[in-house]
């Protein structure tokens, strides 16, 4: 059985660990006070949109026969 942990399991401890980091990837507030996930290769994404859309991934997996 294949489990896509990053798309289906996002405990608060992961967000807390990313907030505590001083290097990317990390969570911090931008100039507008919005929490963002900063990643060198992905840029900056509002935290509300930064994690995967589970429905998108489930549909993709269904199409792949997973």
């Amino acid at each position: 059985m294949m489990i896509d942990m990053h798309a289906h399991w996002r405990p608060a401890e992961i967000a807390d660990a990313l907030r505590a980091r001083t290097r990317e990837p990390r969570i911090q507030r931008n100039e507008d006070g919005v929490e963002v996930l900063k990643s060198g290769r992905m840029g900056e994404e509002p935290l509300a949109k930064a994690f995967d859309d589970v429905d998108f991934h489930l549909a993709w997996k269904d199409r792949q026969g997973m």
Side-chain angles (χ1 to χ4, degrees):
M1 173 189 292
M2 187 182 312
I3 299 173
D4 186 357
M5 297 294 285
H6 78 277
H8 300 287
W9 187 56
R10 297 179 296 208
E13 292 84 2
I14 289 178
D16 290 342
L18 288 169
R19 286 182 185 103
R21 288 179 56 90
T22 57
R23 294 180 10 197
E24 298 174 357
R26 63 187 280 200
I27 293 174
Q28 66 182 66
R29 293 202 179 271
N30 66 12
E31 293 176 359
D32 297 325
V34 175
E35 270 196 315
V36 295
L37 176 63
K38 291 194 69 152
S39 172
R41 63 186 174 107
M42 300 298 286
E44 181 179 293
E45 182 81 28
L47 193 57
K49 296 180 181 180
F51 289 97
D52 294 325
D53 180 332
V54 172
D55 292 329
F56 170 83
H57 284 282
L58 289 174
W60 180 84
K61 287 178 180 197
D62 285 343
R63 289 191 304 273
Q64 302 301 316
M66 292 186 199

